Amino acid sequence: MSPAALFWIPVLIRFALIGGAGLAGGYVWNFTGGLVVAFVVLLGLVMVQLRYMYHLSRWLDHPDEVKLKDGWGSWTEIFAKLYRLRRDDQKNRAELAEWLSRFRLAMSQLPDGVVIMDDVLFLEWCNPVAETHLRLNLDKDKGMRVTNLIRSPEFIDYIILARYDEPLTLKIGDRKLIVRLIPFEDRRQILVTHDVTEFDRLETMRRDFIANASHELRTPLTVINGFLEIANAEPHLDQLTRMQHLKLMAEQGRRMQNLVEDMLVLTRLESIDYPLRKEIVHVPTLLEQVHAEGLALSGGRHQISLDINGPDIIGGMDELRSAFGNLVSNAVRYTPEGGEIRIEWRVSAQGPEFSVSDSGIGIKQEHLSRLTERFYRVDKGRSRETQGTGLGLAIVKHVLARHDARLRIDSEPGKGSTFAIQFPASAAAQGGLG
């Protein structure tokens, strides 16, 4: 049955009831009585319709609070359709809310920042990464113009010139960002930010490493080539001069060899192809070897003591020997003759701890944070005198990272330094003290 029939049939029935009521009243009383009865019936029907219309109006204003009644006549079908429409609308809203929640969750998990703006650059939404990158606050900044929030001349020029086919490199605080604006729909735009700070830092480190390595290798090569040229130009040099030249060339050759070996060690430590091979390291034996090497390097010029009161640990034997040995050799190199060096292995509140303390020249505070950088030297001239490669503490840093340990440096110019390696408690091997 068509909707029109569903509407008109009840209406005709009502008119038939009114007419029937009027005829019955006229037959029982008179014509006037019939009209009165018909009017009363009509008034009752109108009141019923007004009641349903009022109830419908209340429901339309507050659909979640007011419940529709079953209705009567054509109102039954009307209310049924409204219920179906309401149910479909609630279902669509729930699905839309679910998809919106999924979208926001997906956007919040992206490594890049996403900002959604309208056609006049008013902020509508952004993910947490964009808040961090661009220093935004969605709760406070929503509805504000993005060019007023990101006060950068380069960004404003990028927006005004509309060169969206090329990304913009933007510096905000200590972050370097690649920014791209993408038109979205007719009245929306998406701003995408990608943080390249770490990549830029690594690229700078790579360039510096190549430059520094080339510089470090050039000096001994220049010395060796110079002496070889002298030997070729003057084949009849006296034996003493020739021996001095050979000695200097051998020293420079060893310096290059040490530098290349340290660079290879760093490369191996950074490579994912060389995972840490864990084993139980008998620390007393290891430290006795390191202590002996320190005594040999010192040549009797220092007092070097060894105190062992800690457990065996789980780690890489060769890597730990390299880290411990670098700290001891640095202490020997930078401690004047007659100075004291203490090597200690103990258990702290945080876990096993290795430390090397010396009475050497000390280090100024502004240098401490950069000591583990490759080729960083506090005193370049003194580093060359002591035959250091400039990579020892960088090696220590990478070894500790692979062992979940950390390096602590305490130093004061003229009063010496303490380099301590703090291992986690979980590094201790079972079985008590070593």
Side-chain angles (χ1 to χ4, degrees):
M1 188 177 295
S2 66
L6 291 173
F7 175 79
W8 284 108
I9 290 176
V11 172
L12 294 175
I13 292 174
R14 294 188 184 99
F15 277 109
L17 290 173
I18 296 171
L23 290 174
Y27 177 78
V28 175
W29 293 289
N30 51 33
F31 180 73
T32 302
L35 288 178
V36 171
V37 172
F39 176 77
V40 171
V41 173
L42 178 61
L43 181 61
L45 292 174
V46 170
M47 293 298 294
V48 171
Q49 304 305 314
L50 290 176
R51 179 173 176 271
Y52 281 128
M53 290 178 65
Y54 171 74
H55 195 73
L56 175 62
S57 176
R58 287 186 60 207
W59 181 82
L60 291 174
D61 291 336
H62 306 284
D64 296 325
E65 300 176 6
V66 179
K67 182 179 179 181
L68 281 176
K69 299 189 177 185
D70 294 335
W72 174 74
S74 59
W75 287 104
T76 302
E77 183 65 22
I78 292 174
F79 288 165
K81 288 184 176 180
L82 288 175
Y83 267 125
R84 287 194 294 270
L85 290 174
R86 174 63 176 169
R87 187 173 58 252
D88 293 342
D89 179 64
Q90 289 177 333
K91 182 179 178 181
N92 292 336
R93 285 174 178 269
E95 291 178 353
L96 180 61
E98 182 180 357
W99 279 108
L100 182 60
S101 176
R102 290 181 179 179
F103 168 79
R104 290 181 174 176
L105 179 61
M107 291 297 104
S108 65
Q109 299 299 320
L110 287 178
D112 294 338
V114 179
V115 179
I116 298 179
M117 307 172 293
D118 62 15
D119 56 338
V120 289
L121 303 179
F122 283 98
L123 176 64
E124 292 187 348
W125 183 83
C126 65
N127 67 350
V129 178
E131 289 184 297
T132 302
H133 285 179
L134 302 174
R135 297 180 176 178
L136 301 175
N137 187 313
L138 182 60
D139 295 332
K140 296 180 179 179
D141 299 334
K142 186 176 181 180
M144 298 182 66
R145 191 183 294 273
V146 173
T147 49
N148 294 335
L149 300 172
I150 307 173
R151 297 185 177 275
S152 170
E154 295 85 357
F155 179 73
I156 295 175
D157 290 342
Y158 177 71
I159 296 297
I160 294 176
L161 297 176
R163 295 177 178 173
Y164 304 150
D165 55 330
E166 298 180 0
L168 168 70
T169 301
L170 190 62
K171 189 76 183 261
I172 297 182
D174 58 351
R175 294 181 183 273
K176 186 176 182 180
L177 306 173
I178 300 297
V179 177
R180 184 183 291 273
L181 196 65
I182 305 172
F184 175 64
E185 296 183 342
D186 295 333
R187 300 176 60 85
R188 297 289 185 279
Q189 298 183 83
I190 295 181
L191 184 70
V192 180
T193 64
H194 179 65
D195 191 347
V196 294
T197 306
E198 185 64 16
F199 175 81
D200 190 62
R201 186 184 70 84
L202 294 175
E203 182 65 17
T204 302
M205 287 178 59
R206 184 189 66 82
R207 290 195 302 266
D208 291 345
F209 178 77
I210 294 174
N212 289 326
S214 301
H215 177 75
E216 294 293 333
L217 289 170
R218 182 172 55 191
T219 300
L221 282 173
T222 301
V223 173
I224 293 173
N225 288 331
F227 287 142
L228 290 175
E229 290 175 1
I230 292 175
N232 288 329
E234 302 180 24
H236 302 294
L237 283 174
D238 60 274
Q239 185 67 17
L240 179 60
T241 303
R242 185 181 297 275
M243 293 301 295
Q244 290 176 342
H245 288 183
L246 289 175
K247 179 182 178 181
L248 291 173
M249 284 192 292
E251 289 178 355
Q252 296 300 323
R254 283 194 299 271
R255 179 180 172 186
M256 283 194 299
Q257 183 179 7
N258 292 336
L259 180 60
V260 171
E261 288 177 353
D262 280 353
M263 287 193 294
L264 290 175
V265 169
L266 269 177
T267 301
R268 185 173 66 252
L269 292 174
E270 292 177 337
S271 175
I272 60 174
D273 296 328
Y274 291 89
L276 177 63
R277 298 178 59 183
K278 293 185 177 181
E279 56 183 315
I280 296 179
V281 179
H282 188 57
V283 179
T285 302
L286 173 59
L287 292 185
E288 286 171 1
Q289 295 173 359
V290 171
H291 181 236
E293 293 170 359
L295 290 173
L297 181 62
S298 171
R301 294 179 295 112
H302 310 90
Q303 296 179 6
I304 306 178
S305 62
L306 175 62
D307 182 15
I308 300 177
N309 189 28
D312 292 343
I313 61 173
I314 298 176
M317 171 70 80
D318 293 336
E319 294 184 16
L320 291 176
R321 179 187 290 112
S322 175
F324 294 168
N326 269 301
L327 294 184
V328 173
S329 63
N330 279 349
V332 173
R333 289 191 179 100
Y334 294 101
T335 300
E337 185 174 351
E340 181 183 354
I341 299 172
R342 299 189 312 277
I343 305 172
E344 186 177 4
W345 176 248
R346 67 186 186 91
V347 178
S348 69
Q350 290 76 33
E353 181 180 283
F354 170 79
S355 64
V356 180
S357 302
D358 62 62
S359 58
I361 60 177
I363 307 167
K364 293 182 179 179
Q365 291 295 317
E366 60 263 29
H367 297 293
L368 297 183
S369 62
R370 300 191 60 189
L371 287 180
T372 57
E373 294 180 11
R374 302 176 186 185
F375 297 112
Y376 184 81
R377 290 187 171 96
V378 177
D379 186 341
K380 295 183 178 180
R382 186 175 179 85
S383 295
R384 291 193 175 93
E385 291 175 5
T386 58
Q387 302 297 313
T389 64
L391 296 175
L393 289 179
I395 292 174
V396 172
K397 174 185 175 182
H398 283 78
V399 169
L400 300 192
R402 288 160 64 91
H403 287 78
D404 296 323
R406 60 184 180 87
L407 178 65
R408 186 181 73 251
I409 305 174
D410 299 312
S411 185
E412 187 175 346
K415 295 185 178 181
S417 307
T418 296
F419 288 76
I421 298 176
Q422 181 66 65
F423 291 91
S426 58
Q430 299 295 325
L433 298 179

